[in-house]
Amino acid sequence: MTTPAIQHTNDFVIKFANVNGSGSASANELFARAIIRMGVPVAPRNIFPSNIQGLPTWYEVRVSEAGWLGARGGCDMMVAMNPQTWDRDVAAIDRGGYLFYDSTKPLPPSKFREDITVLGVPLTAMCNAEYDDARQRQLFKNSMYVGALIALLDMEFAAAEQLIVDRYRGKDQLIKANVNALRLGYDYARQNLPCPIGLRVKRADAVGERIMIDGNSACGLGAVFGGATVAGWYPITPSTSVIESFSSYCRKFRTDPDNGRARYAIVQAEDELASIGMVIGAGWNGARAFTATSGPGISLMQEFFGLAYFAEIPAVIVDVQRGSPSTGMPTRTQQSDLLSCAYASHGDTRHVLLFPQDAHECFSLTAQAFDLAERLQTPVFVLSDLDIGMNEQLCAPFEWDDSRRYDRGKLMSYDELEAGKDFGRYLDVDGDGIPYRTIPGTHPTKGAYFTRGTTRNPYAKYSEVGTDYVYNMERLRRKFNTAKDLVPAPILTKAAQPTHVGVIYYGSTAPAMAEAGAKLAADGIHVDTLRVRGFPFSDEVMQFIADRDAVFVVEQNESAQLRTLLINEGEIDPKKLVRVLHYDGSPITARFIAGKIADALNDRKVSPIGQPQRKVAS
């Protein structure tokens, strides 16, 4: 029986299998942006190696007029341009899907599948006939397959053509050459292949005012708007472009227009330890300072995190998480640093964490982190990851209220010091655990304090008296509790029907979770969901768990770190929190989440509201 070909308009996944360094990235991006130009949302994801040129790389384009931007799982068409990965690329195509390949060299029937549609274009032969230069043959082969895809998917040729014009504006020869290659592929497909196929792109109006930006660039811009003037850093994948974008934005927004002088300092340190030391020094001196790093950097910075926590110095750390531990998978995504950041350093430390779900929140939460760091006088971690940080995504335009003023927290002023107001650097005057601080230079003779990593009394005088240490630790705990009401509140989404089952998730799992929730509801499985956006957890998070018989915790790591944090901080019965864990380095998918939750509920026959409930095991 012949498998029917997939028939979908504005709702499919295309995956490109290429060789790293072949110049395919710009062509694949051109393809994705051409679909956006037609008013149809896309979610592109670049899956690339951490090693040298010549290794496999993939680029996935999720086309979804409905607006689903998370990874779906599976692919409807594979553009197989890498012989090294041919077998697994062909195996990854969904039944009824499509295989597009370079048919210059004949392949045996064993290399294909009977349940997919095969579309061959002799790209290499066409390029050899058209171009003499070897590099041109490689680069324009990419443009040719984009042209062929435009024909096969019934896309508007003019949309891609205009993108080329925009990209190479003022360089007429490049425009002409790229458009010509695009046209060659387009014309061949129209003349030799069944155009259009079952997958089609139809003009829509579903993109709206959304912008396309990656999370790292958004963090860099958020740091500028958040008032950062100092960055100490050491390059590490996948966080490097956070500081690169911050530098670019600073040149534009933090350069004195009168004399051209930089009103910012960006220092590439000799290592991660030095970089966080610079940030802490700048924070003590009154600057808003930050660093960007990933898991291995977090490991190296541990002792300094303890100093900033105990000495109570503002600092912001943007952690773009990757596969771990050790070197792990530097170019793969995970949510693997939750526990190492929450309890960073030795001893009794607890740190404030923020969890952005997309580039829009990378901007807003990074900006907010600087207010929180100064308000609470403590390190604040923004936990992004590679999927958010290094992939461009559609998101709402950034917003900023020009009347907004920075929250610098409890600062003792010159007038207060001059009037003789009592200043105890570590003195809790109102019960929220947050003391007053001074900024160096506020007063020429009064209000100075030493930054201590050792225990002290409320007036910053060195002390090894046990009661002084206990006072400080209890005050720090009060301050952490104060942070519960300052971090972004969780977002609750109620199911269409009453349910005893909930799901807690955070960060980059959000787009896939939204789609998984809709898929579960369509199958008659209703769950309430709660997206956690900050730590310490608010009372609402613990109440969400208490009100339900079973709560699934969705995250991208092997050790269930969010679940562990919930159990530890809320003293939750572990049996109540059900693991949904994805950690192979690829972004979590809606299919994966929905499948895991449905299987768990079906296996345990969880009953509807009003009937006796059966427990769901963890």
Side-chain angles (χ1 to χ4, degrees), residues 233-241 272 292-297 322:
W233 73 299
Y234 186 78
I236 181 172
T237 301
S239 72
T240 299
S241 57
E272 287 89 350
T293 189
S294 192
R322 71 189 204 186

Side-chain angles (χ1 to χ4, degrees), residues 70 100 166 185 255-256 288 331 401 435 472-473 502 615:
F100 179 100
D166 294 343
T255 300
D256 192 311
R288 289 194 159 192
T331 60
D401 183 355
N472 268 296
M473 295 308 296
K615 292 183 179 179

Side-chain angles (χ1 to χ4, degrees), residues 338-344 347-351 353 477 480-481 484 535-537 541-542 545 553 555 559-575 577:
L338 191 62
L339 291 176
S340 62
C341 290
Y343 302 127
D348 296 313
T349 55
R350 278 178 170 81
H351 297 292
L353 313 179
R477 174 49 61 89
F480 192 70
N481 287 334
K484 286 184 179 181
F535 175 75
F537 302 125
V541 175
M542 299 309 166
I545 297 171
V553 184
E555 49 188 320
S559 53
Q561 294 184 26
L562 177 61
R563 179 179 180 272
T564 299
L565 204 56
L566 289 165
I567 293 169
N568 189 50
E569 295 295 320
E571 299 183 355
I572 306 297
D573 180 357
K575 294 180 180 179
L577 300 180

Side-chain angles (χ1 to χ4, degrees), residues 206-409:
V207 174
E209 298 299 317
R210 284 182 288 182
I211 61 174
M212 194 82 164
I213 188 172
D214 64 87
N216 283 356
S217 295
C219 283
L221 186 60
V224 172
F225 275 76
T229 57
V230 176
W233 73 299
Y234 186 78
I236 181 172
T237 301
S239 72
T240 299
S241 57
V242 172
I243 303 297
E244 291 174 343
S245 65
F246 177 69
S247 176
S248 175
Y249 291 127
C250 280
R251 287 194 295 272
K252 183 175 182 179
F253 298 117
R254 296 230 186 286
T255 300
D256 192 311
D258 297 327
N259 55 32
R261 292 178 181 173
R263 303 178 64 180
Y264 60 93
I266 300 174
V267 183
Q268 180 176 330
E270 62 268 31
D271 55 32
E272 287 89 350
L273 190 61
S275 69
I276 190 63
M278 294 174 183
V279 169
I280 293 170
W284 172 81
N285 204 43
R288 289 194 159 192
F290 82 110
T291 191
T293 189
S294 192
I298 294 294
S299 297
L300 291 170
M301 296 176 185
Q302 294 285 309
E303 187 174 1
F304 262 138
F305 291 149
L307 171 62
Y309 174 82
F310 199 61
E312 298 178 70
I313 299 172
V316 171
I317 302 95
V318 177
D319 177 14
V320 188
Q321 300 166 94
R322 71 189 204 186
S324 64
S326 188
T327 303
M329 297 185 290
T331 60
R332 298 291 187 265
T333 194
Q334 275 190 14
Q335 295 172 315
S336 52
D337 300 340
L338 191 62
L339 291 176
S340 62
C341 290
Y343 302 127
S345 195
H346 51 276
D348 296 313
T349 55
R350 278 178 170 81
H351 297 292
V352 174
L353 313 179
L354 305 181
F355 307 125
Q357 70 163 343
D358 60 9
H360 186 275
E361 286 194 345
C362 281
F363 170 78
S364 62
L365 295 190
T366 299
Q368 184 179 359
F370 291 94
D371 277 352
L372 288 171
E374 290 207 295
R375 173 79 176 271
L376 295 164
Q377 300 173 31
T378 196
V380 174
F381 294 76
V382 180
L383 266 63
S384 175
D385 59 37
L386 185 146
D387 186 34
I388 300 174
M390 295 194 71
N391 287 312
E392 288 192 323
Q393 54 203 266
L394 286 170
C395 69
F398 301 155
E399 299 173 349
W400 190 260
D401 183 355
D402 288 335
S403 66
R404 175 174 170 176
R405 294 294 177 264
Y406 297 139
D407 184 351
R408 306 221 64 185

